[in-house]
Amino acid sequence: MTTSNESLQQRYMHLTELRHVLRETAQFFDQAEIRQDVATTIGGGGRLTDPDDAVPLLEQDEEYANFELGQLSIGVVTGVIARSRMQTFERVLWRSLRGNLYMNASEIDEAIGTGVDEEDAVDKNVFAVFAHGREIVNKIRKISESMGATLYDIDPSEDARRDALLDVTGRIEDLNNILSNTNQSIRAELVTISENLNAWTTMVRKEKAIYHTMNLASYDAGRKCLIAEGWCPSYDIPSVRSALKEATDASRTSLSAIVTEFRTNLKPPTFQRTNKFTEGFQSIIDAYGIARYREVNPGIFTLISFPFLFAVMFGDIGHGALMLLAALYLVLNEKKLASNNGEIFKMFFGGRYMMLMMGIFSIFTGFMYNDIFSLSLSTFKSGFDWPTDYNSTDTVVGVPNGNTYSIGLDPAWHGAENFLLFTNPYKMKQAIILGVIHMSFAICLNVVNHLHFNKKMFIWLEFVPQILFMESIFGYLVFCIMYKWSVDWYARGADGELLRGQPPNLLNMLIYMFLSPGTIIPGEQLYSGQGVVQVFLVLIAVICVPWMWFAKPYYLKKQHSMHQYSSVADDEAIPDEDDVLNVHAPTGTGAVDDPEEEEFDFGEEMIHQTIHTIEFCLNCISNTASYLRLWALSLAHAQLSSVLWDMTLKIWFNFRGIGGTIGLFIGFAVWFTLTCCILIGMEGLSAFLHTLRLHWVEFDGKFYAADGHGFQPFSFKSVTLEVDE
């Protein structure tokens, strides 16, 4: 139908052009007849001398000067050409024929095109070229066609032109009716097609995917069957067998599909089974790298550690509640919102459960910080008593009453002058404690990998020196922090004298632990026997460095030497040459050697282990310092929230009357807008990226090889959701 419609449109275009040619050339022929009558009257067989437009062609040509005009063979070429090419067309004709022509043209008042697309319509001109001689006329035709002109043969007689114009006009009217009916038929057909187009597209994509997958199978001519090899999760093998049995029964064939499992030394792909809750967390781990087959999957622990570390930086009851509400909206309306294809929205929608967990943990840490929109909650009895007769401009001292606030930070600290002096060291030490625990747990996960991959010796060669090095320095620092918190350094005796004095500076203690082992600066002692303990821990850390450096390469070299000796002994014990070939070349059995296995090189192993040892020792310092971002982001979030409250909303509380009411309304709108955009949007994104960095570098880098390749199963879902480029 489309082809027929295009053919009709082409005919309609040609008829339209022909109608314009008939109309415009009527004037050309009338003028030509007038010129010829005038020339015949004034010529009389002699040389023409009239300089006006009525002079016939080639009047200056000496060869034809004495010819009568009636003896000349005058021909005409008529047609239509694009208006943009008209000047070029005239210039080419004039230069090619040396001026031996007479040309007339007029513009068509409507754009003419194919009719299929209105944008293809172009402005055109009707032209008529008069010349004498058959060869010249043929040359004009060739030039016209080469310039893209459409030529039409017109009968010079007036009656023939009038009849042709009437005939063309009638044919155009008939074509208009036919085109209208054709367009209606095409539209009706397209409406019918549109109802089934999605189903047809899905069916075609599925068929193509099926045949593409079947083309990967090999044909066994002897057994006349297809043999396909692939990977499948062991858990799903019963499902595969059941699906093949159902397909066999549905096809009513006597030949059944056979599923056979066989072992191979090739590295299997990694498949992490997820659901809509764990999918978002697993995706951020896969963005770092796909796990090696059967390697410990960090995504399991990320379910808790990621939202918790995020909440340490983002802790606020109010902000966490707003994030929780936004996530709940996405979760409760996930079926309705799943069809939204916006790129930014899809990222948030895919992490809706991650946002839900981050909101819940932010509310929890907000209770720990006792912070809600930069304010505090006095839910329980405070541990400080305040004087009753003071105003907001007075500086007073809170007196401890011996009570301990039940949950989180005492609200008495909010608004105090020494609030930052109290919370800064607390949050900084908290960040170090969380960081050391997080990294220590990552190092411990190496044990699981070593046990599974049957490398138990690596526990003694890698894990033990790494964990000893880590805990002898930074584990000891965590112990000192906890011990310092547990001691009341300002306790006084019966006579009012301080029992312990000022608490020691832990940073100086850690520095002098290596600069002067065993020496304790006066007034900086944390506990008795501290010098001996620190010397012992420094010795352990120093011993662990060569332990990590040389033990593993030496062990691998020894194992390689024993393996070579064992292989030579086995070869000498087998006298049959054929048996030797079978042992070393088990082709066709499926149990081939791993093609990615490289030959052992002690030098390369030493270089690799040297880099690994230096990197681990330096990273223990830099990574621990990296966790201080938990303190920095938490402090920045709290201070920015406080400034926003004071500058937008709090200032209007002192105003009264209608002005104060309007100001409070505007201030609340500004405060809420900036809270959502800056504190939740920008600060939330910043905390998210910092948390992602802690997991990728500080946590995953300790145990996660991430050198596997993902499992890509055949799936109709991925085929049908494929977007054509």
Side-chain angles (χ1 to χ4, degrees), residues 404-566:
T404 302
Y405 199 71
S406 300
I407 299 177
L409 194 66
D410 196 310
W413 288 103
H414 280 269
E417 288 186 354
N418 57 344
F419 174 66
L420 291 179
L421 295 177
F422 172 73
T423 56
N424 261 0
Y426 162 70
K427 290 186 176 182
M428 180 179 66
K429 295 170 184 175
Q430 169 192 268
I432 294 176
I433 293 173
L434 294 176
V436 172
I437 293 175
H438 199 214
M439 290 187 295
S440 300
F441 177 66
I443 296 174
C444 292
L445 290 177
N446 281 310
V447 177
V448 181
N449 284 332
H450 294 330
L451 291 176
H452 173 74
F453 293 115
N454 198 21
K455 298 178 180 178
K456 298 180 181 180
M457 197 62 189
F458 284 9
I459 297 176
W460 301 100
L461 302 178
E462 279 192 334
F463 165 70
V464 173
Q466 287 179 357
I467 196 68
L468 287 178
F469 183 87
M470 183 74 183
E471 302 307 323
S472 63
I473 301 176
F474 299 100
Y476 175 67
L477 178 61
V478 171
F479 165 77
C480 293
I481 292 173
M482 303 294 289
Y483 181 82
K484 182 179 177 180
W485 280 348
S486 65
V487 174
D488 186 1
W489 297 94
Y490 298 98
R492 298 179 180 271
D495 55 353
E497 184 180 358
L498 286 174
L499 298 179
R500 293 181 178 84
Q502 293 293 329
N505 189 307
L506 297 183
L507 181 60
N508 292 335
M509 180 208 73
L510 188 65
I511 294 174
Y512 283 101
M513 176 178 170
F514 291 91
L515 294 181
S516 56
T519 303
I520 304 299
I521 301 176
E524 295 290 332
Q525 184 171 356
L526 191 64
Y527 57 90
S528 59
Q530 180 179 352
V532 177
V533 173
Q534 291 182 175
V535 170
F536 177 72
L537 293 176
V538 171
L539 288 176
I540 292 178
V542 172
I543 293 173
C544 286
V545 175
W547 188 353
M548 285 185 286
W549 195 349
F550 298 106
K552 182 180 176 182
Y554 175 75
Y555 170 77
L556 293 176
K557 184 178 184 300
K558 185 177 179 181
Q559 288 294 108
H560 181 68
S561 299
M562 292 177 60
H563 177 71
Q564 284 185 329
Y565 176 79
S566 176

Side-chain angles (χ1 to χ4, degrees), residues 38 56 280 356 425 432 436 577 585 601 621 633:
V38 172
L356 184 71
I432 294 176
V436 172
E577 183 179 358
D601 188 334
I621 302 173
L633 267 293

Side-chain angles (χ1 to χ4, degrees), residues 385-405:
D385 292 331
W386 300 95
T388 57
D389 52 345
Y390 76 96
N391 55 47
S392 59
T393 60
D394 295 336
T395 300
V396 297
V397 178
V399 180
N401 55 20
N403 184 56
T404 302
Y405 199 71

Side-chain angles (χ1 to χ4, degrees), residues 233-408:
S234 302
Y235 179 82
D236 292 330
I237 287 181
S239 301
V240 174
R241 296 182 188 274
S242 176
L244 290 174
K245 185 178 182 304
E246 292 178 1
T248 302
D249 296 340
S251 61
R252 297 179 181 179
T253 180
S254 59
L255 300 177
S256 59
I258 301 174
V259 179
T260 303
E261 302 177 46
F262 62 91
R263 298 186 179 276
T264 176
N265 289 336
L266 297 176
K267 291 183 179 180
T270 302
F271 172 60
Q272 308 289 3
R273 196 178 298 275
T274 60
N275 52 37
K276 60 183 180 181
F277 178 79
T278 61
E279 184 179 5
F281 294 96
Q282 187 62 49
S283 62
I284 63 175
I285 297 299
D286 291 342
Y288 175 80
I290 304 297
R292 182 183 298 178
Y293 182 66
R294 294 284 188 177
E295 185 182 14
V296 173
N297 179 23
I300 299 174
F301 316 105
T302 307
L303 295 174
I304 299 299
S305 62
F306 192 94
F308 176 71
L309 293 181
F310 171 86
V312 171
M313 295 180 277
F314 194 75
D316 188 287
I317 300 174
H319 300 157
L322 292 177
M323 180 176 289
L324 178 63
L325 291 176
L328 279 176
Y329 173 78
L330 297 177
V331 170
L332 296 178
N333 299 277
E334 58 184 14
K335 292 183 178 179
K336 181 175 65 175
L337 300 175
S339 58
N340 193 320
N341 294 324
E343 185 176 356
I344 301 298
F345 179 81
K346 287 181 70 175
M347 289 195 304
F348 285 99
F349 183 76
R352 59 192 181 281
Y353 288 99
M354 189 182 301
M355 292 173 55
L356 184 71
M357 294 291 291
M358 291 190 298
I360 294 174
F361 275 85
S362 297
I363 294 175
F364 167 74
T365 54
F367 275 109
M368 296 298 102
Y369 297 153
N370 198 357
D371 202 351
I372 174 170
F373 297 124
S374 77
L375 304 177
S376 61
L377 296 175
S378 299
T379 309
F380 307 100
K381 184 179 179 181
S382 174
F384 297 88
D385 292 331
W386 300 95
T388 57
D389 52 345
Y390 76 96
N391 55 47
S392 59
T393 60
D394 295 336
T395 300
V396 297
V397 178
V399 180
N401 55 20
N403 184 56
T404 302
Y405 199 71
S406 300
I407 299 177

Side-chain angles (χ1 to χ4, degrees), residues 623-673:
N623 291 351
T624 304
S626 182
Y627 277 91
L628 292 177
R629 69 186 69 237
L630 298 176
W631 156 58
L633 267 293
S634 174
L635 177 65
H637 185 79
Q639 291 302 305
L640 187 60
S641 178
S642 178
V643 170
L644 186 63
W645 172 269
D646 293 340
M647 299 299 294
T648 59
L649 198 59
K650 185 179 178 180
I651 57 176
W652 297 103
F653 290 161
N654 297 325
F655 290 87
R656 298 291 184 271
I658 187 66
T661 303
I662 297 176
L664 188 62
F665 179 81
I666 297 175
F668 175 81
V670 174
W671 170 81
F672 185 79
T673 302

Side-chain angles (χ1 to χ4, degrees), residues 164-177:
L165 181 60
L166 294 175
D167 179 63
V168 168
T169 304
R171 291 167 62 186
I172 288 177
E173 293 179 356
D174 295 339
L175 270 179
N176 277 328
N177 296 331

